[in-house]
PDB file of all heavy atoms in Angstrom:
ATOM      1  N   GLN J 489      99.996 104.928  90.415  1.00 89.00           N
ATOM      2  CA  GLN J 489      98.620 105.218  90.474  1.00 89.00           C
ATOM      3  C   GLN J 489      97.690 103.997  90.255  1.00 89.00           C
ATOM      4  O   GLN J 489      96.674 103.955  90.942  1.00 89.00           O
ATOM      5  CB  GLN J 489      98.289 106.307  89.486  1.00 89.00           C
ATOM      6  CG  GLN J 489      98.896 107.660  89.742  1.00 89.00           C
ATOM      7  CD  GLN J 489      98.729 108.618  88.619  1.00 89.00           C
ATOM      8  OE1 GLN J 489      98.869 108.287  87.366  1.00 89.00           O
ATOM      9  NE2 GLN J 489      98.489 109.937  88.728  1.00 89.00           N
ATOM     10  N   THR J 490      98.105 103.146  89.409  1.00 87.00           N
ATOM     11  CA  THR J 490      97.311 102.029  89.206  1.00 87.00           C
ATOM     12  C   THR J 490      97.305 101.065  90.426  1.00 87.00           C
ATOM     13  O   THR J 490      96.215 100.646  90.742  1.00 87.00           O
ATOM     14  CB  THR J 490      97.878 101.188  87.980  1.00 87.00           C
ATOM     15  OG1 THR J 490      97.890 101.986  86.855  1.00 87.00           O
ATOM     16  CG2 THR J 490      97.122  99.885  87.751  1.00 87.00           C
ATOM     17  N   MET J 491      98.441 100.916  91.102  1.00 87.00           N
ATOM     18  CA  MET J 491      98.465 100.142  92.356  1.00 87.00           C
ATOM     19  C   MET J 491      97.620 100.736  93.407  1.00 87.00           C
ATOM     20  O   MET J 491      96.797 100.033  94.034  1.00 87.00           O
ATOM     21  CB  MET J 491      99.845 100.039  92.791  1.00 87.00           C
ATOM     22  CG  MET J 491     100.800  99.166  91.936  1.00 87.00           C
ATOM     23  SD  MET J 491     102.440  98.994  92.499  1.00 87.00           S
ATOM     24  CE  MET J 491     102.195  97.803  93.778  1.00 87.00           C
ATOM     25  N   ARG J 492      97.664 102.052  93.550  1.00 86.00           N
ATOM     26  CA  ARG J 492      96.931 102.724  94.626  1.00 86.00           C
ATOM     27  C   ARG J 492      95.343 102.653  94.334  1.00 86.00           C
ATOM     28  O   ARG J 492      94.570 102.475  95.210  1.00 86.00           O
ATOM     29  CB  ARG J 492      97.344 104.159  94.738  1.00 86.00           C
ATOM     30  CG  ARG J 492      98.613 104.412  95.384  1.00 86.00           C
ATOM     31  CD  ARG J 492      98.882 105.906  95.501  1.00 86.00           C
ATOM     32  NE  ARG J 492     100.205 106.002  96.208  1.00 86.00           N
ATOM     33  CZ  ARG J 492     100.989 107.141  95.872  1.00 86.00           C
ATOM     34  NH1 ARG J 492     100.694 108.043  95.013  1.00 86.00           N
ATOM     35  NH2 ARG J 492     102.126 107.150  96.494  1.00 86.00           N
ATOM     36  N   ARG J 493      95.013 102.705  93.118  1.00 88.00           N
ATOM     37  CA  ARG J 493      93.559 102.846  92.731  1.00 88.00           C
ATOM     38  C   ARG J 493      92.958 101.549  92.425  1.00 88.00           C
ATOM     39  O   ARG J 493      91.731 101.459  92.647  1.00 88.00           O
ATOM     40  CB  ARG J 493      93.477 103.774  91.563  1.00 88.00           C
ATOM     41  CG  ARG J 493      92.065 104.239  91.240  1.00 88.00           C
ATOM     42  CD  ARG J 493      91.977 105.634  90.814  1.00 88.00           C
ATOM     43  NE  ARG J 493      90.707 105.848  90.346  1.00 88.00           N
ATOM     44  CZ  ARG J 493      90.306 106.571  89.256  1.00 88.00           C
ATOM     45  NH1 ARG J 493      91.280 107.156  88.587  1.00 88.00           N
ATOM     46  NH2 ARG J 493      89.065 106.664  88.929  1.00 88.00           N
ATOM     47  N   CYS J 494      93.626 100.634  91.869  1.00 89.00           N
ATOM     48  CA  CYS J 494      93.048  99.425  91.340  1.00 89.00           C
ATOM     49  C   CYS J 494      93.444  98.133  92.017  1.00 89.00           C
ATOM     50  O   CYS J 494      92.791  97.129  91.933  1.00 89.00           O
ATOM     51  CB  CYS J 494      93.277  99.231  89.885  1.00 89.00           C
ATOM     52  SG  CYS J 494      92.806 100.769  88.848  1.00 89.00           S
ATOM     53  N   TRP J 495      94.493  98.140  92.858  1.00 88.00           N
ATOM     54  CA  TRP J 495      94.999  96.869  93.462  1.00 88.00           C
ATOM     55  C   TRP J 495      94.564  96.767  94.876  1.00 88.00           C
ATOM     56  O   TRP J 495      94.578  97.764  95.648  1.00 88.00           O
ATOM     57  CB  TRP J 495      96.537  96.767  93.391  1.00 88.00           C
ATOM     58  CG  TRP J 495      97.179  96.680  92.146  1.00 88.00           C
ATOM     59  CD1 TRP J 495      96.827  97.231  90.989  1.00 88.00           C
ATOM     60  CD2 TRP J 495      98.309  95.858  91.931  1.00 88.00           C
ATOM     61  NE1 TRP J 495      97.718  96.942  90.004  1.00 88.00           N
ATOM     62  CE2 TRP J 495      98.620  96.092  90.517  1.00 88.00           C
ATOM     63  CE3 TRP J 495      99.186  95.108  92.616  1.00 88.00           C
ATOM     64  CZ2 TRP J 495      99.685  95.467  89.924  1.00 88.00           C
ATOM     65  CZ3 TRP J 495     100.167  94.459  92.088  1.00 88.00           C
ATOM     66  CH2 TRP J 495     100.492  94.621  90.795  1.00 88.00           C
ATOM     67  N   ARG J 496      94.065  95.673  95.344  1.00 85.00           N
ATOM     68  CA  ARG J 496      93.728  95.489  96.741  1.00 85.00           C
ATOM     69  C   ARG J 496      95.018  95.606  97.575  1.00 85.00           C
ATOM     70  O   ARG J 496      96.081  95.256  97.292  1.00 85.00           O
ATOM     71  CB  ARG J 496      93.213  94.066  96.979  1.00 85.00           C
ATOM     72  CG  ARG J 496      92.864  93.772  98.416  1.00 85.00           C
ATOM     73  CD  ARG J 496      92.176  92.513  98.641  1.00 85.00           C
ATOM     74  NE  ARG J 496      90.947  92.400  97.884  1.00 85.00           N
ATOM     75  CZ  ARG J 496      89.750  93.095  98.231  1.00 85.00           C
ATOM     76  NH1 ARG J 496      89.716  93.829  99.279  1.00 85.00           N
ATOM     77  NH2 ARG J 496      88.719  92.953  97.561  1.00 85.00           N
ATOM     78  N   GLU J 497      94.818  96.456  98.558  1.00 82.00           N
ATOM     79  CA  GLU J 497      96.032  96.762  99.602  1.00 82.00           C
ATOM     80  C   GLU J 497      97.298  97.299  98.849  1.00 82.00           C
ATOM     81  O   GLU J 497      98.349  97.075  99.226  1.00 82.00           O
ATOM     82  CB  GLU J 497      96.306  95.545 100.345  1.00 82.00           C
ATOM     83  CG  GLU J 497      95.194  95.017 101.233  1.00 82.00           C
ATOM     84  CD  GLU J 497      95.509  93.774 102.041  1.00 82.00           C
ATOM     85  OE1 GLU J 497      96.724  93.297 102.091  1.00 82.00           O
ATOM     86  OE2 GLU J 497      94.586  93.132 102.547  1.00 82.00           O
ATOM     87  N   ALA J 498      96.930  97.996  97.760  1.00 77.00           N
ATOM     88  CA  ALA J 498      98.024  98.639  96.929  1.00 77.00           C
ATOM     89  C   ALA J 498      99.016  97.693  96.519  1.00 77.00           C
ATOM     90  O   ALA J 498     100.261  98.061  96.410  1.00 77.00           O
ATOM     91  CB  ALA J 498      98.561  99.857  97.704  1.00 77.00           C
ATOM     92  N   GLY J 499      98.646  96.418  96.260  1.00 75.00           N
ATOM     93  CA  GLY J 499      99.573  95.412  95.775  1.00 75.00           C
ATOM     94  C   GLY J 499     100.451  94.751  96.845  1.00 75.00           C
ATOM     95  O   GLY J 499     101.423  94.097  96.522  1.00 75.00           O
ATOM     96  N   LEU J 500     100.103  94.993  98.065  1.00 75.00           N
ATOM     97  CA  LEU J 500     100.875  94.442  99.195  1.00 75.00           C
ATOM     98  C   LEU J 500     100.361  93.175  99.682  1.00 75.00           C
ATOM     99  O   LEU J 500     100.875  92.618 100.666  1.00 75.00           O
ATOM    100  CB  LEU J 500     100.961  95.420 100.311  1.00 75.00           C
ATOM    101  CG  LEU J 500     101.594  96.787  99.951  1.00 75.00           C
ATOM    102  CD1 LEU J 500     101.698  97.773 101.049  1.00 75.00           C
ATOM    103  CD2 LEU J 500     103.144  96.523  99.422  1.00 75.00           C
ATOM    104  N   SER J 501      99.352  92.462  99.172  1.00 77.00           N
ATOM    105  CA  SER J 501      98.850  91.256  99.653  1.00 77.00           C
ATOM    106  C   SER J 501      99.912  90.236  99.297  1.00 77.00           C
ATOM    107  O   SER J 501     100.499  90.207  98.245  1.00 77.00           O
ATOM    108  CB  SER J 501      97.500  90.894  98.826  1.00 77.00           C
ATOM    109  OG  SER J 501      96.606  91.847  99.071  1.00 77.00           O
ATOM    110  N   ALA J 502      99.964  89.196 100.170  1.00 75.00           N
ATOM    111  CA  ALA J 502     100.966  88.139  99.933  1.00 75.00           C
ATOM    112  C   ALA J 502     100.502  86.867 100.578  1.00 75.00           C
ATOM    113  O   ALA J 502      99.708  86.892 101.532  1.00 75.00           O
ATOM    114  CB  ALA J 502     102.313  88.498 100.615  1.00 75.00           C
ATOM    115  N   ALA J 503     100.903  85.755  99.977  1.00 76.00           N
ATOM    116  CA  ALA J 503     100.532  84.404 100.528  1.00 76.00           C
ATOM    117  C   ALA J 503     101.849  83.911 101.216  1.00 76.00           C
ATOM    118  O   ALA J 503     102.842  83.962 100.561  1.00 76.00           O
ATOM    119  CB  ALA J 503     100.103  83.534  99.365  1.00 76.00           C
ATOM    120  N   VAL J 504     101.722  83.651 102.490  1.00 76.00           N
ATOM    121  CA  VAL J 504     102.932  83.128 103.233  1.00 76.00           C
ATOM    122  C   VAL J 504     102.748  81.642 103.457  1.00 76.00           C
ATOM    123  O   VAL J 504     101.804  81.210 104.092  1.00 76.00           O
ATOM    124  CB  VAL J 504     103.014  83.947 104.467  1.00 76.00           C
ATOM    125  CG1 VAL J 504     104.283  83.508 105.238  1.00 76.00           C
ATOM    126  CG2 VAL J 504     103.047  85.472 104.244  1.00 76.00           C
ATOM    127  N   ALA J 505     103.767  80.905 102.964  1.00 73.00           N
ATOM    128  CA  ALA J 505     103.745  79.548 103.128  1.00 73.00           C
ATOM    129  C   ALA J 505     104.354  79.068 104.480  1.00 73.00           C
ATOM    130  O   ALA J 505     104.947  79.935 105.153  1.00 73.00           O
ATOM    131  CB  ALA J 505     104.462  78.866 101.915  1.00 73.00           C
ATOM    132  N   LEU J 506     104.385  77.787 104.818  1.00 77.00           N
ATOM    133  CA  LEU J 506     105.039  77.268 105.907  1.00 77.00           C
ATOM    134  C   LEU J 506     106.470  76.919 105.615  1.00 77.00           C
ATOM    135  O   LEU J 506     106.890  76.787 104.532  1.00 77.00           O
ATOM    136  CB  LEU J 506     104.266  75.851 106.283  1.00 77.00           C
ATOM    137  CG  LEU J 506     102.743  76.153 106.679  1.00 77.00           C
ATOM    138  CD1 LEU J 506     102.198  74.768 106.945  1.00 77.00           C
ATOM    139  CD2 LEU J 506     102.578  77.084 107.841  1.00 77.00           C
ATOM    140  N   GLY J 507     107.160  76.983 106.696  1.00 79.00           N
ATOM    141  CA  GLY J 507     108.744  76.652 106.491  1.00 79.00           C
ATOM    142  C   GLY J 507     109.472  77.670 105.814  1.00 79.00           C
ATOM    143  O   GLY J 507     109.137  78.846 105.879  1.00 79.00           O
ATOM    144  N   GLU J 508     110.386  77.232 104.959  1.00 80.00           N
ATOM    145  CA  GLU J 508     111.381  78.133 104.276  1.00 80.00           C
ATOM    146  C   GLU J 508     110.856  78.562 102.923  1.00 80.00           C
ATOM    147  O   GLU J 508     111.530  79.221 102.230  1.00 80.00           O
ATOM    148  CB  GLU J 508     112.617  77.526 104.213  1.00 80.00           C
ATOM    149  CG  GLU J 508     113.340  77.196 105.568  1.00 80.00           C
ATOM    150  CD  GLU J 508     113.535  78.502 106.311  1.00 80.00           C
ATOM    151  OE1 GLU J 508     114.027  79.476 105.679  1.00 80.00           O
ATOM    152  OE2 GLU J 508     113.288  78.485 107.565  1.00 80.00           O
ATOM    153  N   THR J 509     109.607  78.219 102.494  1.00 77.00           N
ATOM    154  CA  THR J 509     109.103  78.710 101.251  1.00 77.00           C
ATOM    155  C   THR J 509     108.949  80.212 101.146  1.00 77.00           C
ATOM    156  O   THR J 509     108.372  80.701 102.144  1.00 77.00           O
ATOM    157  CB  THR J 509     107.740  77.904 101.016  1.00 77.00           C
ATOM    158  OG1 THR J 509     107.939  76.485 101.174  1.00 77.00           O
ATOM    159  CG2 THR J 509     107.239  78.244  99.613  1.00 77.00           C
ATOM    160  N   PRO J 510     109.381  80.781 100.200  1.00 78.00           N
ATOM    161  CA  PRO J 510     109.177  82.296 100.141  1.00 78.00           C
ATOM    162  C   PRO J 510     107.755  82.695  99.970  1.00 78.00           C
ATOM    163  O   PRO J 510     106.908  81.911  99.563  1.00 78.00           O
ATOM    164  CB  PRO J 510     110.062  82.672  98.897  1.00 78.00           C
ATOM    165  CG  PRO J 510     110.103  81.445  98.084  1.00 78.00           C
ATOM    166  CD  PRO J 510     109.973  80.277  98.960  1.00 78.00           C
ATOM    167  N   PHE J 511     107.473  83.876 100.451  1.00 77.00           N
ATOM    168  CA  PHE J 511     106.086  84.508 100.268  1.00 77.00           C
ATOM    169  C   PHE J 511     105.905  84.765  98.744  1.00 77.00           C
ATOM    170  O   PHE J 511     106.750  85.058  98.046  1.00 77.00           O
ATOM    171  CB  PHE J 511     105.875  85.561 101.123  1.00 77.00           C
ATOM    172  CG  PHE J 511     106.389  86.899 100.738  1.00 77.00           C
ATOM    173  CD1 PHE J 511     105.679  87.725  99.859  1.00 77.00           C
ATOM    174  CD2 PHE J 511     107.668  87.266 101.088  1.00 77.00           C
ATOM    175  CE1 PHE J 511     106.259  88.886  99.490  1.00 77.00           C
ATOM    176  CE2 PHE J 511     108.243  88.385 100.796  1.00 77.00           C
ATOM    177  CZ  PHE J 511     107.536  89.308  99.980  1.00 77.00           C
ATOM    178  N   ILE J 512     104.646  84.819  98.387  1.00 77.00           N
ATOM    179  CA  ILE J 512     104.269  85.063  96.973  1.00 77.00           C
ATOM    180  C   ILE J 512     103.342  86.347  96.996  1.00 77.00           C
ATOM    181  O   ILE J 512     102.312  86.343  97.752  1.00 77.00           O
ATOM    182  CB  ILE J 512     103.527  83.894  96.360  1.00 77.00           C
ATOM    183  CG1 ILE J 512     104.334  82.659  96.383  1.00 77.00           C
ATOM    184  CG2 ILE J 512     103.021  84.269  94.929  1.00 77.00           C
ATOM    185  CD1 ILE J 512     103.578  81.404  95.932  1.00 77.00           C
ATOM    186  N   SER J 513     103.620  87.308  96.142  1.00 76.00           N
ATOM    187  CA  SER J 513     102.764  88.434  96.024  1.00 76.00           C
ATOM    188  C   SER J 513     101.421  87.956  95.381  1.00 76.00           C
ATOM    189  O   SER J 513     101.560  87.257  94.392  1.00 76.00           O
ATOM    190  CB  SER J 513     103.426  89.540  95.210  1.00 76.00           C
ATOM    191  OG  SER J 513     102.610  90.625  95.090  1.00 76.00           O
ATOM    192  N   VAL J 514     100.336  88.336  95.881  1.00 77.00           N
ATOM    193  CA  VAL J 514      99.064  87.990  95.371  1.00 77.00           C
ATOM    194  C   VAL J 514      98.429  89.120  94.657  1.00 77.00           C
ATOM    195  O   VAL J 514      98.169  90.109  95.275  1.00 77.00           O
ATOM    196  CB  VAL J 514      98.109  87.411  96.429  1.00 77.00           C
ATOM    197  CG1 VAL J 514      96.744  86.932  95.892  1.00 77.00           C
ATOM    198  CG2 VAL J 514      98.825  86.161  97.144  1.00 77.00           C
ATOM    199  N   LEU J 515      98.327  89.060  93.393  1.00 80.00           N
ATOM    200  CA  LEU J 515      97.597  90.008  92.549  1.00 80.00           C
ATOM    201  C   LEU J 515      96.186  89.920  92.840  1.00 80.00           C
ATOM    202  O   LEU J 515      95.397  88.945  92.389  1.00 80.00           O
ATOM    203  CB  LEU J 515      97.991  89.927  91.110  1.00 80.00           C
ATOM    204  CG  LEU J 515      97.391  90.898  90.181  1.00 80.00           C
ATOM    205  CD1 LEU J 515      97.852  92.300  90.423  1.00 80.00           C
ATOM    206  CD2 LEU J 515      97.634  90.469  88.783  1.00 80.00           C
ATOM    207  N   GLN J 516      95.465  90.968  93.418  1.00 85.00           N
ATOM    208  CA  GLN J 516      94.014  91.060  93.556  1.00 85.00           C
ATOM    209  C   GLN J 516      93.602  92.453  93.159  1.00 85.00           C
ATOM    210  O   GLN J 516      94.118  93.455  93.669  1.00 85.00           O
ATOM    211  CB  GLN J 516      93.766  90.827  95.039  1.00 85.00           C
ATOM    212  CG  GLN J 516      94.108  89.523  95.619  1.00 85.00           C
ATOM    213  CD  GLN J 516      93.833  89.384  97.057  1.00 85.00           C
ATOM    214  OE1 GLN J 516      92.731  89.067  97.497  1.00 85.00           O
ATOM    215  NE2 GLN J 516      94.787  89.660  97.964  1.00 85.00           N
ATOM    216  N   GLY J 517      92.574  92.439  92.361  1.00 88.00           N
ATOM    217  CA  GLY J 517      92.034  93.711  91.899  1.00 88.00           C
ATOM    218  C   GLY J 517      90.991  94.262  92.783  1.00 88.00           C
ATOM    219  O   GLY J 517      90.379  93.476  93.512  1.00 88.00           O
ATOM    220  N   ARG J 518      90.869  95.617  92.899  1.00 90.00           N
ATOM    221  CA  ARG J 518      89.954  96.222  93.635  1.00 90.00           C
ATOM    222  C   ARG J 518      89.354  97.371  92.832  1.00 90.00           C
ATOM    223  O   ARG J 518      89.598  98.530  93.055  1.00 90.00           O
ATOM    224  CB  ARG J 518      90.484  96.732  95.039  1.00 90.00           C
ATOM    225  CG  ARG J 518      89.360  97.262  95.928  1.00 90.00           C
ATOM    226  CD  ARG J 518      90.059  97.955  97.192  1.00 90.00           C
ATOM    227  NE  ARG J 518      90.690  99.122  96.622  1.00 90.00           N
ATOM    228  CZ  ARG J 518      90.784 100.274  97.214  1.00 90.00           C
ATOM    229  NH1 ARG J 518      90.203 100.432  98.409  1.00 90.00           N
ATOM    230  NH2 ARG J 518      91.333 101.350  96.754  1.00 90.00           N
ATOM    231  N   CYS J 519      88.713  97.018  91.724  1.00 90.00           N
ATOM    232  CA  CYS J 519      88.166  97.827  90.753  1.00 90.00           C
ATOM    233  C   CYS J 519      87.166  97.066  89.962  1.00 90.00           C
ATOM    234  O   CYS J 519      87.061  95.853  90.017  1.00 90.00           O
ATOM    235  CB  CYS J 519      89.208  98.436  89.965  1.00 90.00           C
ATOM    236  SG  CYS J 519      90.107  97.200  88.980  1.00 90.00           S
ATOM    237  N   VAL J 520      86.220  97.901  89.257  1.00 90.00           N
ATOM    238  CA  VAL J 520      85.316  97.129  88.282  1.00 90.00           C
ATOM    239  C   VAL J 520      86.089  96.443  87.267  1.00 90.00           C
ATOM    240  O   VAL J 520      86.974  96.905  86.673  1.00 90.00           O
ATOM    241  CB  VAL J 520      84.328  98.178  87.724  1.00 90.00           C
ATOM    242  CG1 VAL J 520      83.526  97.549  86.720  1.00 90.00           C
ATOM    243  CG2 VAL J 520      83.593  98.917  88.713  1.00 90.00           C
ATOM    244  N   GLY J 521      85.862  95.026  87.326  1.00 88.00           N
ATOM    245  CA  GLY J 521      86.560  94.140  86.490  1.00 88.00           C
ATOM    246  C   GLY J 521      87.436  93.281  87.340  1.00 88.00           C
ATOM    247  O   GLY J 521      88.017  92.292  86.825  1.00 88.00           O
ATOM    248  N   GLY J 522      87.691  93.703  88.571  1.00 88.00           N
ATOM    249  CA  GLY J 522      88.541  92.930  89.469  1.00 88.00           C
ATOM    250  C   GLY J 522      89.968  92.591  88.877  1.00 88.00           C
ATOM    251  O   GLY J 522      90.556  93.455  88.218  1.00 88.00           O
ATOM    252  N   SER J 523      90.589  91.475  89.262  1.00 86.00           N
ATOM    253  CA  SER J 523      91.908  91.183  88.960  1.00 86.00           C
ATOM    254  C   SER J 523      92.130  90.981  87.449  1.00 86.00           C
ATOM    255  O   SER J 523      93.199  91.246  86.966  1.00 86.00           O
ATOM    256  CB  SER J 523      92.309  89.894  89.682  1.00 86.00           C
ATOM    257  OG  SER J 523      92.287  90.000  91.088  1.00 86.00           O
ATOM    258  N   SER J 524      91.045  90.810  86.719  1.00 81.00           N
ATOM    259  CA  SER J 524      91.063  90.707  85.251  1.00 81.00           C
ATOM    260  C   SER J 524      91.765  91.908  84.601  1.00 81.00           C
ATOM    261  O   SER J 524      92.410  92.007  83.638  1.00 81.00           O
ATOM    262  CB  SER J 524      89.821  90.418  84.598  1.00 81.00           C
ATOM    263  OG  SER J 524      89.289  89.149  85.052  1.00 81.00           O
ATOM    264  N   VAL J 525      91.346  93.119  85.279  1.00 84.00           N
ATOM    265  CA  VAL J 525      91.853  94.301  84.787  1.00 84.00           C
ATOM    266  C   VAL J 525      93.407  94.437  84.853  1.00 84.00           C
ATOM    267  O   VAL J 525      94.086  94.949  83.983  1.00 84.00           O
ATOM    268  CB  VAL J 525      91.218  95.599  85.552  1.00 84.00           C
ATOM    269  CG1 VAL J 525      91.911  96.869  85.194  1.00 84.00           C
ATOM    270  CG2 VAL J 525      89.779  95.543  85.203  1.00 84.00           C
ATOM    271  N   LEU J 526      94.024  93.861  85.894  1.00 82.00           N
ATOM    272  CA  LEU J 526      95.330  94.009  86.224  1.00 82.00           C
ATOM    273  C   LEU J 526      96.145  92.923  85.514  1.00 82.00           C
ATOM    274  O   LEU J 526      97.361  93.200  85.329  1.00 82.00           O
ATOM    275  CB  LEU J 526      95.558  93.846  87.798  1.00 82.00           C
ATOM    276  CG  LEU J 526      94.759  94.753  88.635  1.00 82.00           C
ATOM    277  CD1 LEU J 526      94.938  94.509  90.136  1.00 82.00           C
ATOM    278  CD2 LEU J 526      95.026  96.208  88.298  1.00 82.00           C
ATOM    279  N   THR J 527      95.626  91.891  85.112  1.00 78.00           N
ATOM    280  CA  THR J 527      96.319  90.890  84.439  1.00 78.00           C
ATOM    281  C   THR J 527      96.460  91.069  82.902  1.00 78.00           C
ATOM    282  O   THR J 527      96.987  90.154  82.150  1.00 78.00           O
ATOM    283  CB  THR J 527      95.754  89.421  84.684  1.00 78.00           C
ATOM    284  OG1 THR J 527      94.461  89.438  84.207  1.00 78.00           O
ATOM    285  CG2 THR J 527      95.714  89.063  86.185  1.00 78.00           C
TER     286      THR J 527
END
């Protein structure tokens, strides 16, 4: 419920690097307080 309601894109945001570097899940809030609420 927290992911659906408070996370941007339900927590599916990712940073994709070049080459063989793995992608990193990017924590972004979408609620009053922003990402600070989630961290």
Side-chain angles (χ1 to χ4, degrees):
Q489 290 171 323
T490 301
M491 288 180 77
R492 287 184 180 147
R493 191 144 171 219
C494 302
W495 292 40
R496 176 173 303 287
E497 299 175 14
L500 300 177
S501 301
V504 181
L506 300 174
E508 296 300 315
T509 306
F511 76 90
I512 299 170
S513 178
V514 179
L515 177 66
Q516 299 177 81
R518 192 188 63 140
C519 58
V520 173
S523 300
S524 301
V525 171
L526 307 177
T527 61

